[in-house]
Amino acid sequence: MSFQSEFGYTALPMRVRFGIDVLGQLRSHIAELGIERAIVVCTPEQRTVAESVLARLDDRGAGIFDRAEMHVPVEVADDAVRFAVDRGADACVVVGGGSSVGLGKAIALQHRMPIIAIPTTYAGSEMTPVWGSTRDGHKQTGSSPSVLPALVLYDPGLTTTLPAELSAASGMNAMAHAVEALYAPDASPIISLMAEEGIRAFAEALPRVVTDPQNIDHRTRALYGAWLCGASLGATTMSLHHKLCHAIGGSLNLPHAQTHAIVLPYSMAYNESSAPAAQAAVRRALHTDTSAAVALWELTQSLPIPHALTQIGMTASDIDTVVEQALRNPYSNPREVTEEGLRGLLQDALAGRRPTVSDLRTESAR
């Protein structure tokens, strides 16, 4: 493993508490942060968990907003901000995965209030300053320290009810954060170590979580991976994979985690020959001598998730829209992003076929 002799690293200003039943410490943490009234944000499916969280807040709870959705529609965000203002809230407790955390970030961005995140999936967005919202089918993303949670409570016990299929998709989504962090232009040795360990943790935990969802040891290992992968993304710049998945999800309203899980092997294949250090790290984490992209694809094939974009609703006629959005704004990537390359990537992901690593010398003959 070669040493990266020149780099920068900025530690993000947030606290993490990890362990079984750390949720029981919620009210003391709320008081320590000086919070008087907090709303709880969740999806409709997480309403029961949100009610238990609200009960733990006791007199510091200000109600539940349970309308979080994928890709954070601006209309929902505006309603959530009004709810927070009407309830006199000075903080937001988000319960759930990326949809809930994303809505909490939208509230914080507009209303400047601290977030306490309680993840129940492996999305990892609670560890990043990245926010996103969707208006008229177009997803906009940005980065601001104001949306970083003041506190994240990782309680593995809260993930045992996450169905095996969603656990697998959510875990692969998180793994994509770490893969892109490995070839990010602002990577550092610390982040690369975290990213590789996060991929390793998920590769070991996900097949076991699928076969034994109630096993707290497997759930703890997976949640540990989610923390590492999310932190890796939070400290680096997103590249092709995330930009492409945002274009697919925002324009077609497809499920976020499943989109990332399907696309990841193909975005890795696109970049693999231009990111040898990242490929080596992924291979070490997956304990394989084969291509990193192929190893990721083989892992996805072993999990109960969709394996092709057609299985979640994308069609060949959607490729033009996605390519246009993905090319609209330039972004960093280890390999040049071209229309031809994107079309080839999307055609492979659409069909779910075994990825092949592009040889840049012969790409024009593809």
Side-chain angles (χ1 to χ4, degrees), residues 24-232:
Q25 305 166 20
L26 174 61
R27 195 183 185 287
S28 63
H29 286 306
I30 289 286
E32 184 181 342
L33 290 168
I35 293 169
E36 296 294 335
R37 288 179 60 78
I39 61 167
V40 180
V41 170
C42 65
T43 63
E45 294 78 13
Q46 290 287 347
R47 175 84 193 195
T48 300
V49 179
E51 288 174 349
S52 69
V53 169
L54 184 66
R56 291 177 184 273
L57 292 175
D58 195 20
D59 60 327
R60 294 179 189 254
I64 297 173
F65 186 90
D66 64 356
R67 291 171 47 204
E69 295 182 27
M70 291 189 305
H71 311 303
V72 193
V74 291
E75 300 83 3
V76 174
D78 290 343
D79 287 347
V81 169
R82 282 191 288 270
F83 181 86
V85 171
D86 291 345
R87 297 300 178 100
D90 61 353
C92 176
V93 178
V94 296
V95 179
S99 297
S100 298
V101 175
L103 181 56
K105 288 179 175 181
I107 297 171
L109 195 65
Q110 292 188 46
H111 198 49
R112 301 294 176 183
M113 62 170 58
I115 300 171
I116 293 86
I118 305 174
T120 62
T121 75
Y122 306 130
S125 57
E126 67 280 350
M127 293 303 298
T128 82
V130 178
W131 57 267
S133 62
T134 303
R135 183 190 300 272
D136 299 327
H138 295 280
K139 188 165 187 176
Q140 177 186 7
T141 61
S143 180
S144 170
S146 67
V147 305
L148 271 174
L151 173 68
V152 182
L153 298 179
Y154 284 110
D155 192 329
L158 295 178
T159 65
T160 58
T161 58
L162 187 66
E165 295 81 1
L166 292 180
S167 298
S170 182
M172 292 304 302
N173 173 26
M175 198 181 292
H177 306 335
V179 169
E180 289 231 295
L182 287 168
Y183 54 64
D186 46 1
S188 70
I190 292 174
I191 294 303
S192 294
L193 287 169
M194 293 175 66
E196 183 175 332
E197 174 66 1
I199 294 170
R200 182 177 296 110
F202 269 126
E204 294 171 356
L206 286 182
R208 297 170 182 171
V209 164
V210 167
T211 57
D212 190 6
Q214 297 299 312
N215 187 299
I216 197 66
D217 291 333
H218 303 336
R219 290 292 187 176
T220 299
R221 182 72 170 155
L223 198 59
Y224 165 71
W227 167 52
L228 292 173
C229 292
S232 298

Side-chain angles (χ1 to χ4, degrees), residues 3-35:
F3 178 70
Q4 185 178 350
S5 59
E6 188 173 326
F7 60 89
Y9 173 70
T10 301
L12 298 177
M14 59 196 304
R15 290 191 289 173
V16 170
R17 295 292 182 268
F18 190 108
I20 297 172
D21 201 32
V22 293
L23 181 59
Q25 305 166 20
L26 174 61
R27 195 183 185 287
S28 63
H29 286 306
I30 289 286
E32 184 181 342
L33 290 168
I35 293 169

